[in-house]
Every structure is written in structure tokens, then in C-alpha cells.
């Protein structure tokens, strides 16, 4: 069974504002790197790695607040039933995994995107389910088939990572890739090439994150939260003093100190000191 979208511009605006507030509360920052989003009137197919529930929220803000495009997305039918408000944002999807339902999804996606009233972006997660970061890319063929049915569409790989960086909250990092150039290959080869392009963007994003983490130092981290260098050194001195006081109260230290005093006293009495 295919659950179709029921777009409602008013509800879309309200939910976009809610998503914006939710992201600001839950994340330290939302940063975008890589290439510019295509400045075109044509449909853009943005295909993304799927590693968290937040993958359903981030595209809403990107589409509405940054890209300024009509939102459409493919989502599991079970998730749409659980969160029915996503239908008003343009989400649709099958409740099963039969060939007939897959064909219905491709037909519906093609029809909806061809009839979009303004420049649209279609979000799709070709892995098909939430998977941990680092899992090799393996796509289903739906993305390649939809792209073939929409020859004028621009296909953009989008990599997303959620990482703890300088903030107490995680940062959301998004990297946009260059559009994928079509070469007329069959669906299988096209799918493998799409996998490779997204993997390249994920690798580049992981490199950016690793380089930024390597630059983080304790002093810089302290300054991020309002402390200066002197505060950090004083804090370290206080910590060392606290450890020394704690150790001095242990039975082991007291016994060692007693034996040391006795030994030094004997040396003094015997004229060795």
C-alpha cells in the first residue's frame, strides 16, 4: 500500500518553524560545507546517508529556510503512520516491500515532481533504513530508477554526520557534493556510481571533522565557555592540590611517612646526617 502525501503549506510553515527551534535546542550548531546547492529551476534529487532519526528533521529546515524549495521526500510507510504530520510536508512511502509497491512509489514520485508548483527538492535515503556510521554504502535501485524517469533533474549527494565537537551538544555537519553527471548506464551500474559518490562525500566530511578535532586544545575549549588561560592554569593547580590532600589521608601514605621519619631519625642519631 502506498501512503501518499497531503501537502499543506500552512502546516508546512508551522512545522518548519518548530523544526528550526528543535534543532537549535538539540544541537550546538548546524554547519554546511562542500559545494553550493544548485541554483536551478529544475527538480533537485538530494540523496542522503541514513544514520539517525534526525535525518527526517534536518532536510525540513534546509529546504524551507536555506534552499527555499518545495519539500518532497520518500519515507517508510510505517514511519508515516507513526508520525502522520510528515504527510503534510510532502512525505510519501510504501507500507510493504513488494515489487508492485516499489513500482507505485516510482510512478508517484515521478508524477509529483513533474507537477511541482515551484522549484522542488526530493529527499531520498537509498539505504532504505537507519544504519550506523561507517557501514559500506549499499543502495536499493529506486533512486536510479526515479532519476532515470526524471532526466532533467539534478542529482546531488548529501552527507550528514552528528558529532560532539566543541559544544556540550552534538553538532550537525552537512556536506553537499557536486551534481552527479549521467552517463547512460543501466540501473545497476548507475546505483553503484551513486553509492561511490556519496561515500566520497562522507569520507571528505569525516576528514573535515577529524582535522577540526585535531585543532581543539584545552585552552581553546576553556575559552569557548568563557574561561581565560589563567583560569585554566589555576584550575589545574587546584586539582593537583586536591589530589595531594586526598592521598595524604590514606593509610598507605601515613605508613610510608612514619617509616620515612623513623629511617631519617636513625641516620641522624648514628651521625650519618
Amino acid at each position: 500500500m502506498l501512503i501518499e502525501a497531503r501537502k499543506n503549506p500552512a502546516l508546512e510553515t508551522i512545522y518548519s518553524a518548530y523544526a528550526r527551534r528543535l534543532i537549535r535546542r538539540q544541537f550546538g550548531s548546524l554547519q554546511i560545507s562542500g559545494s553550493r546547492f544548485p541554483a536551478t529551476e529544475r527538480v533537485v534529487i538530494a540523496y542522503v546517508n541514513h544514520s539517525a532519526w534526525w535525518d527526517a528533521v534536518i532536510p525540513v529546515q534546509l529546504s524551507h529556510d536555506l534552499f527555499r524549495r518545495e519539500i518532497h521526500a520518500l519515507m517508510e510507510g510505517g514511519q508515516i503512520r507513526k508520525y502522520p504530520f510528515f504527510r503534510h510536508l510532502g512525505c510519501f512511502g510504501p507500507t510493504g516491500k513488494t515489487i508492485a509497491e516499489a513500482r507505485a512509489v516510482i510512478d508517484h514520485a515521478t508524477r509529483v515532481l513533474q507537477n511541482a508548483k515551484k522549484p522542488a527538492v526530493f529527499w531520498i535515503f537509498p539505504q532504505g533504513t537507519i544504519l550506523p556510521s561507517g557501514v559500506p554504502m549499499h543502495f536499493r535501485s529506486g533512486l536510479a530508477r526515479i532519476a532515470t524517469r526524471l532526466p532533467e533533474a539534478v542529482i546531488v549527494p548529501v552527507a550528514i554526520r552528528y558529532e560532539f565537537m566543541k559544544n556540550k551538544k552534538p553538532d550537525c555537519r552537512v556536506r553537499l557534493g557536486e551534481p552527479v553527471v549521467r552517463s547512460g548506464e543501466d540501473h545497476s551500474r548507475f546505483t553503484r556510481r551513486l553509492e561511490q559518490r556519496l561515500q566520497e562525500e562522507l569520507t571528505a566530511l569525516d576528514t573535515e571533522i577529524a582535522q577540526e578535532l585535531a585543532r581543539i586544545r584545552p585552552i581553546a575549549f576553556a575559552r569557548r565557555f568563557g574561561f581565560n588561560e589563567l583560569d585554566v592554569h589555576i584550575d589545574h593547580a587546584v586539582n593537583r592540590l586536591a589530589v595531594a590532600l586526598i592521598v595524604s589521608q590514606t593509610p598507605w601514605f601515613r605508613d610510608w611517612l612514619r617509616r620515612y621519619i623513623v629511617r631519617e631519625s636513625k641516620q641522624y642519631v648514628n651521625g650519618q646526617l
Side-chain angles (χ1 to χ4, degrees), residues 43 157 160 195 201:
V43 171
I160 298 181
E195 291 174 352
E201 297 304 325

Side-chain angles (χ1 to χ4, degrees), residues 10-259:
L11 292 178
E12 181 178 323
T13 300
I14 293 172
Y15 182 75
S16 296
Y18 173 72
R20 186 187 315 118
R21 180 183 178 190
L22 194 63
I23 291 171
R24 287 177 177 174
R25 290 177 58 185
Q26 298 298 326
F27 291 96
S29 68
L30 171 59
Q31 302 180 39
I32 302 176
S33 62
S35 304
R36 289 182 175 275
F37 191 81
T40 176
E41 295 296 312
R42 293 183 291 171
V43 171
V44 174
I45 300 176
Y47 69 101
V48 196
N49 60 298
H50 201 7
S51 62
W53 178 86
W54 286 100
D55 295 338
V57 179
I58 300 300
V60 175
Q61 180 164 10
L62 293 179
S63 303
H64 191 270
D65 293 353
L66 185 62
F67 304 153
R68 303 293 184 180
R69 284 179 169 260
E70 183 177 293
I71 309 170
H72 298 276
L74 180 60
M75 179 180 286
E76 291 182 351
Q79 292 297 310
I80 296 177
R81 284 177 172 174
K82 188 175 182 180
Y83 305 103
F85 58 85
F86 277 114
R87 297 183 70 182
H88 301 301
L89 300 178
C91 295
F92 59 90
T95 56
K97 298 180 180 181
T98 65
I99 295 178
E101 286 178 306
R103 290 174 177 169
V105 167
I106 294 172
D107 292 339
H108 183 72
T110 303
R111 184 171 61 256
V112 167
L113 296 175
Q114 287 177 338
N115 296 327
K117 297 180 180 179
K118 62 180 180 178
V121 56
F122 174 56
W123 296 90
I124 182 171
F125 303 89
Q127 289 173 291
T129 187
I130 295 178
L131 294 172
S133 300
V135 174
M137 292 288 106
H138 182 72
F139 294 172
R140 299 175 182 179
S141 64
L143 169 59
R145 294 178 184 277
I146 292 174
T148 301
R149 296 277 291 272
L150 297 167
E152 298 299 320
V154 180
I155 310 168
V156 176
V158 181
I160 298 181
R161 291 288 196 228
Y162 306 97
E163 299 285 346
F164 283 93
M165 305 289 286
K166 303 177 184 178
N167 305 298
K168 293 184 291 184
K169 299 177 182 179
D171 292 335
C172 177
R173 305 295 295 267
V174 180
R175 180 180 172 88
L176 305 178
E178 290 287 343
V180 178
V181 179
R182 305 167 188 264
S183 60
E185 67 262 64
D186 59 33
H187 293 145
S188 179
R189 292 185 178 182
F190 192 23
T191 298
R192 302 290 82 80
R193 191 156 62 87
L194 291 168
E195 291 174 352
Q196 181 181 359
R197 284 297 312 278
L198 182 54
Q199 186 61 64
E200 290 172 356
E201 297 304 325
L202 284 167
T203 300
L205 181 55
D206 289 339
T207 300
E208 291 176 5
I209 293 172
Q211 291 174 346
E212 184 172 342
L213 287 173
R215 291 194 297 267
I216 296 176
R217 295 292 183 267
I219 299 300
F221 183 81
R223 287 174 177 168
R224 171 66 178 79
F225 291 98
F227 299 101
N228 57 38
E229 187 170 342
L230 179 61
D231 293 329
V232 176
H233 290 310
I234 292 175
D235 186 58
H236 288 173
V238 171
N239 288 340
R240 287 194 291 268
L241 178 60
V243 171
L245 290 174
I246 293 172
V247 171
S248 68
Q249 302 303 312
T250 62
W252 171 85
F253 179 81
R254 290 180 177 179
D255 182 62
W256 175 84
L257 183 61
R258 180 185 61 79
R259 287 187 283 108

